[in-house]
């Protein structure tokens, strides 16, 4: 039988492997290595061990790590279903991780064997991001449960209001939309649609057609996301001073969002320098992935803290409901 500490480390391993799989997918996209193994799956150019070309090794390594992600997600699902069935939140995280890692693997295989539209390929990254965020929530949730044995962690948790809960949920949903638009920019090769920054082709509002319209829409969506996250972080920090966790998650979200938006000009500056652009693009994508993970976990926490205290998980002591903005 697995104890809490062992389950915690299993969740950590799953989260790490999911991160590597997500990161590998980013590398495949940014280096245009998607066809490094030809139109074959699971073999690579007809071989189990491919020829040592850069594109084939990048693509095949990503496939191998994705397979490991699937196995680790399955192991977590079995373990948490067997030993933590009473914790519906943890079981739900493990189920979501397993479902979306399988979906993104299927979509990846389909993309290799038959050309897919840019809209479908953007969903491929979106699904992998949900799988990663679910594994992050599983690891953080299990860490909280394992640490709750210590008296210092058995503190009374202040409640949050439904208004703030809905704001966090809306922010998280909108961040996913922005992620999808960004992936759509990459898969439609619209990166050069807007030259210059902050203006787009020297104009405040350019002609909204083709790649220009797609790139400009992503810029506007990202700027609006920063505003929404800043508002949410304001309420998280100033209206929930008794809840350090909510405060820090809000601060982390706004800092990650600000860094992600500021990395946009770096992308524009390195667009024609392949050696530097690949690192700038990966950093840009990693930041939005981290932001979505933080917002996803905060969404779960505010949901738990907005419920009546009797419905709280058994390992956390609650206090009578105190509504806050």
């Amino acid at each position: 039988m697995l104890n809490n500490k062992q389950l915690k480390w299993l969740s950590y391993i799953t989260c790490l492997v999911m991160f590597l799989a997500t990161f590998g997918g980013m590398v495949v996209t940014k280096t245009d290595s998607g066809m490094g193994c030809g139109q074959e799956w699971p073999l690579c150019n007809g071989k189990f061990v491919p020829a040592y070309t850069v594109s084939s090794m990048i693509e095949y390594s990503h496939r191998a790590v994705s397979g490991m992600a699937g196995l680790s997600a399955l192991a977590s699902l079995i373990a948490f279903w067997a030993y933590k069935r009473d914790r519906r939140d943890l079981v739900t995280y493990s189920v979501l991780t397993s479902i979306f890692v399988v979906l993104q693997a299927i979509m990846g295989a389909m993309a290799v064997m038959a050309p897919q539209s840019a809209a479908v390929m953007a969903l491929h990254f979106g699904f992998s991001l949900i799988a990663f965020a679910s594994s992050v929530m599983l690891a953080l949730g299990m860490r909280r449960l394992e640490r709750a044995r210590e008296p210092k962690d058995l503190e009374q948790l202040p409640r949050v209001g439904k208004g703030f809960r809905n704001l966090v949920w809306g922010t998280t949903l909108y961040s996913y939309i922005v992620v999808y638009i960004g992936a759509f920019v990459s898969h439609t090769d619209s990166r050069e649609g807007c030259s210059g920054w902050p203006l787009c082709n020297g104009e405040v509002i350019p002609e909204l057609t083709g790649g220009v319209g797609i790139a400009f829409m992503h810029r506007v969506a990202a700027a609006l996301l920063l505003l929404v996250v800043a508002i949410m972080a304001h309420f998280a920090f100033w209206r929930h001073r008794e809840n350090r966790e909510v405060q820090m998650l809000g601060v982390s979200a706004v800092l990650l969002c600000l860094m992600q938006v500021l990395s946009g000009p770096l992308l524009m500056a390195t667009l024609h320098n392949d050696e530097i652009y690949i690192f700038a693009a990966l950093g840009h994508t990693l930041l939005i992935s981290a932001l979505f993970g933080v917002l996803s976990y905060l969404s779960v926490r505010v949901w738990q803290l907005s419920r009546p205290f009797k419905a709280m998980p058994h390992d956390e002591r609650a206090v009578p409901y105190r509504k806050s903005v």
Side-chain angles (χ1 to χ4, degrees):
M1 179 175 178
L2 299 179
N3 57 36
N4 284 350
K5 187 173 183 178
Q6 292 169 327
L7 288 172
K8 180 188 71 173
W9 282 106
L10 176 60
S11 68
Y12 284 1
I13 292 172
T14 301
C15 185
L16 174 61
V17 177
M18 286 305 309
F19 168 78
L20 294 176
T22 304
F23 182 78
M26 299 176 198
V27 175
V28 169
T29 300
K30 301 303 180 183
T31 58
D32 295 323
S33 301
M35 298 307 295
C37 286
Q39 291 184 297
E40 299 180 44
W41 191 92
L43 297 180
C44 183
N45 295 322
K47 299 178 181 180
F48 183 75
V49 179
Y52 291 100
T53 63
V54 174
S55 60
S56 65
M57 290 306 298
I58 290 176
E59 169 64 13
Y60 202 66
S61 297
H62 175 53
R63 293 186 186 184
V65 175
S66 294
M68 293 172 58
L71 292 175
S72 62
L74 178 61
S76 292
L77 176 60
I78 294 174
F80 280 90
W81 181 263
Y83 301 114
K84 289 296 175 186
R85 196 177 304 183
D86 59 319
R87 286 297 303 262
R88 290 183 297 176
D89 55 338
L90 300 179
V91 173
T92 299
Y93 304 151
S94 62
V95 169
L96 289 175
T97 302
S98 299
I99 290 176
F100 282 99
V101 74
V102 170
L103 284 176
Q104 66 89 20
I106 292 174
M107 294 187 70
M110 291 173 57
V112 168
M113 294 185 288
Q116 302 294 317
S117 68
V120 173
M121 290 306 300
L123 275 179
H124 180 213
F125 176 70
F127 286 165
S128 66
L129 188 58
I130 294 177
F132 169 63
S134 299
S135 69
V136 169
M137 291 188 290
L138 178 63
L140 292 177
M142 193 59 224
R143 176 177 178 272
R144 187 178 187 87
L145 174 61
E146 198 271 340
R147 290 183 60 195
R149 289 180 174 182
E150 302 176 10
K152 65 179 181 180
D153 290 316
L154 295 176
E155 58 186 5
Q156 294 184 333
L157 299 174
R159 321 301 290 157
V160 303
K162 291 184 178 180
F164 179 68
R165 179 200 65 186
N166 294 339
L167 175 60
V168 172
W169 287 0
T171 303
T172 304
L173 176 61
Y174 180 64
S175 72
Y176 186 78
I177 295 174
V178 175
V179 167
Y180 178 83
I181 297 173
F184 192 68
V185 169
S186 296
H187 289 291
T188 55
D189 201 20
S190 301
R191 290 168 292 186
E192 298 187 51
C194 277
S195 61
W197 194 91
L199 298 180
C200 179
N201 300 328
E203 300 177 287
V204 177
I205 302 179
E207 183 179 352
L208 303 179
T209 58
V212 176
I214 296 172
F216 183 73
M217 179 174 61
H218 179 56
R219 287 193 180 188
V220 173
L224 182 58
L225 176 62
L226 178 59
L227 176 62
V228 172
V229 171
I231 293 173
M232 183 277 296
H234 169 80
F235 284 107
F237 191 84
W238 295 109
R239 300 296 180 88
H240 299 86
R241 298 186 183 184
E242 297 178 352
N243 193 320
R244 182 71 172 174
E245 182 185 34
V246 170
Q247 281 189 316
M248 290 301 99
L249 287 171
V251 170
S252 299
V254 75
L255 289 178
L256 286 169
C257 190
L258 180 61
M259 293 170 62
Q260 195 271 337
V261 169
L262 292 178
S263 68
L266 180 60
L267 285 177
M268 294 295 100
T270 61
L271 196 57
H272 300 290
N273 188 330
D274 293 339
E275 289 78 9
I276 300 178
Y277 174 79
I278 180 65
F279 294 103
L282 288 174
H284 184 76
T285 311
L286 284 174
L287 285 170
I288 194 65
S289 301
L291 172 62
F292 184 72
V294 169
L295 290 176
S296 297
Y297 183 67
L298 180 58
S299 294
V300 173
R301 293 302 293 152
V302 297
W303 170 68
Q304 292 174 334
L305 295 174
S306 66
R307 297 160 62 194
F309 72 95
K310 290 183 179 179
M312 290 292 291
H314 68 271
D315 62 294
E316 295 174 346
R317 293 189 305 181
V319 296
Y321 184 81
R322 278 204 315 271
K323 186 176 180 180
S324 57
V325 180

